[in-house]
Amino acid sequence: SSGINAEWPLRPGDQNREWERERGAHAREEAQQHFLALLHDMVRDADASWRKTRKQLRDDSRWELAALLDADQKEKLFLEHIDNLSNKRKRSFKRLLDECEHVTLTSTWKEIRRKIKHDPRFSKFSEDDKEREAEFSRHIKDRVSLAKSDFKQLLKEIKCVSHKSKEILRGPNGDSHMREIRQFLTNDKRGLVLDDLPEERDRILDDYLAELEKFGPPPPPTATRPSKR
């Protein structure tokens, strides 16, 4: 009975089918490569539509080399190509904003637009100014968010603040304690990133000190380790 389930060698007919399958897979892979090369050469605009582009692609002799791909497969490859173009365009526009020294956390699109409009990456990103402005707004929002998280991380590294800081700031030594804190913050670039948003920076600092006061003194080091017996 053990011989029934044993693997039998492939019969000539089966072997031929296996070769055919491999050859078919290889031919499809080749057709896909031809089609991708065609897209790369012919489609440079991320706003292109499949309906219009398909007509142009059909006029190219390489269209026939991709005959093994059905309409859905071709459209899927086209949409992936468009997606790549769009992401590339976004990265390029983002680099332009990063390189522009006039961009701050409080910049407006109107003032920055004037500074960057002659750079080719500006017009390559989009013909629609609303789209450019939306991308700029997202860029500023991301920068503000990063600046805040960097600042919060820096606060955790200040050695001179404790659960008593809030109380000290309310007392006669408040000014000198605040000077000490500010001195520490200005020695690190993470402490300067929110200079354009001083109210926001002060609020984050105040919230942090209030949190320290609320939680009280940290537990002694030994309390965090289980005692050895």
Side-chain angles (χ1 to χ4, degrees):
S1 67
S2 63
I4 293 171
N5 294 327
E7 283 194 21
W8 292 85
L10 285 174
R11 287 185 299 235
D14 293 338
Q15 213 160 14
N16 286 342
R17 271 196 293 277
E18 187 64 28
W19 284 333
E20 285 299 321
R21 193 160 57 238
E22 276 178 29
R23 207 164 33 224
H26 180 68
R28 268 194 306 279
E29 172 67 29
E30 220 166 50
Q32 187 169 318
Q33 292 309 320
H34 283 305
F35 193 66
L36 287 173
L38 178 59
L39 290 174
H40 186 267
D41 291 349
M42 302 275 288
V43 186
R44 304 280 171 87
D45 178 12
D47 297 319
S49 77
W50 172 236
R51 212 159 58 95
K52 279 187 183 170
T53 309
R54 193 174 48 189
K55 289 182 184 136
Q56 296 166 337
L57 297 177
R58 275 201 169 124
D59 292 338
D60 192 289
S61 58
R62 286 170 293 179
W63 176 267
E64 287 307 314
L65 297 173
L68 279 177
L69 304 177
D70 64 30
D72 286 347
Q73 288 169 319
K74 284 184 180 130
E75 186 174 4
K76 184 171 177 279
L77 290 172
F78 168 81
L79 292 173
E80 282 170 9
H81 176 70
I82 289 292
D83 218 27
N84 287 338
L85 284 180
S86 178
N87 289 333
K88 204 168 163 185
R89 206 174 58 166
K90 269 185 189 166
R91 284 196 299 272
S92 185
F93 189 66
K94 192 177 176 327
R95 263 199 306 276
L96 169 60
L97 294 173
D98 278 334
E99 288 165 18
C100 177
E101 58 193 30
H102 303 283
V103 177
T104 69
L105 301 183
T106 54
S107 293
T108 64
W109 173 237
K110 198 176 167 188
E111 56 179 310
I112 296 305
R113 190 186 187 284
R114 283 200 300 270
K115 308 282 186 193
I116 62 173
K117 65 180 179 183
H118 298 301
D119 190 293
R121 290 171 290 183
F122 175 85
S123 48
K124 264 187 189 162
F125 176 69
S126 175
E127 293 303 316
D128 182 359
D129 208 52
K130 280 200 165 54
E131 211 177 308
R132 284 191 286 246
E133 186 174 0
E135 193 59 36
F136 168 79
S137 299
R138 271 194 291 273
H139 179 77
I140 294 295
K141 200 174 161 191
D142 288 348
R143 272 176 73 159
V144 169
S145 173
L146 182 65
K148 284 182 188 175
S149 80
D150 281 351
F151 187 69
K152 284 174 185 170
Q153 180 54 43
L154 178 62
L155 291 178
K156 292 176 186 170
E157 296 167 21
I158 303 184
K159 298 282 187 282
C160 65
V161 299
S162 71
H163 63 288
K164 292 180 180 170
S165 286
K166 200 90 172 119
E167 196 183 327
I168 297 169
L169 290 171
R170 287 191 286 263
N173 296 323
D175 285 350
S176 67
H177 188 43
M178 184 48 88
R179 270 198 303 276
E180 193 183 3
I181 293 171
R182 291 215 184 285
Q183 179 67 46
F184 178 88
L185 292 174
T186 52
N187 279 339
D188 190 300
K189 71 171 195 271
R190 290 171 295 171
L192 306 171
V193 284
L194 287 173
D195 276 0
D196 295 327
L197 300 168
E199 286 170 15
E200 187 65 14
R201 179 193 58 204
D202 294 347
R203 185 192 61 74
I204 294 172
L205 173 60
D206 195 55
D207 286 353
Y208 178 68
L209 297 177
E211 201 178 293
L212 288 180
E213 184 177 50
K214 181 180 156 195
F215 287 112
T222 50
T224 57
R225 295 194 201 99
S227 55
K228 288 178 184 167
R229 297 205 174 265

